[in-house]
Amino acid sequence: MADSNLNFYSTLSEAIDAAREEFLASNPELDEEEANVQQFNVQKYVLQDGDIAWQAEFFADEDEPGECLPMLSGEAAQSVFDGEYDEIEISQEWLEENTLHEWDEGEFQLEPPLDTEEGQTAADEWDER
């Protein structure tokens, strides 16, 4: 999954704010009060330096494909869009096995490749955390 257009944010709330802005920019006919979102997607990353990064997306249709994993839909997605959410609760609901790890610059996967010295080193570093 290498994509130079990914925007990473150090906190989930920053990622949600950016996703809201992106949704509104992609739908210029809507203002924030009348926006109707049906899907909230999120992705958590562990970067090579150990920092955590987040990415989020909103969609008007539940069937729209995105870069992130679907997390909430319908009224729950709309609540997050409207700013009525608990960042800690969303973070706790995130399944750690879905976290993507950076094993090479811009290259992410669920687990490091253990068949290379670089991958084994990355796995050892992740296990230390």
Side-chain angles (χ1 to χ4, degrees):
M1 177 185 141
D3 186 346
S4 60
N5 295 326
L6 291 179
N7 291 315
F8 296 121
Y9 299 93
S10 59
T11 67
L12 182 55
S13 64
E14 288 175 351
I16 290 170
D17 290 345
R20 184 182 305 108
E21 290 173 15
E22 177 64 31
F23 180 84
L24 293 170
S26 298
N27 298 282
E29 71 282 0
L30 299 176
D31 64 31
E32 195 165 343
E33 287 76 37
E34 65 184 22
N36 182 16
V37 300
Q38 290 298 312
Q39 186 70 43
F40 169 64
N41 297 352
V42 68
Q43 183 63 59
K44 181 179 178 182
Y45 301 89
V46 176
L47 305 179
Q48 282 183 321
D49 61 8
D51 288 347
I52 301 297
W54 294 91
Q55 184 182 27
E57 303 169 307
F58 289 106
F59 294 106
D61 184 358
E62 288 184 38
D63 297 326
E64 288 184 57
E67 294 289 322
C68 304
L69 295 175
M71 184 159 205
L72 300 171
S73 61
E75 289 181 25
Q78 185 68 48
S79 291
V80 173
F81 185 86
D82 292 341
E84 300 166 6
Y85 66 92
D86 182 344
E87 182 177 357
I88 294 170
E89 185 177 314
I90 292 173
S91 297
Q92 289 173 341
E93 288 182 26
W94 177 257
L95 300 175
E96 283 303 319
E97 61 263 22
N98 290 331
T99 299
L100 291 174
H101 299 268
E102 184 178 34
W103 63 275
D104 196 9
E105 190 169 331
E107 298 289 329
F108 295 89
Q109 56 190 49
L110 294 173
E111 294 290 330
L114 300 177
D115 58 344
T116 65
E117 183 178 331
E118 181 181 63
Q120 187 61 53
T121 301
D124 293 343
E125 288 173 5
W126 294 338
D127 288 342
E128 289 173 10
R129 282 185 228 122

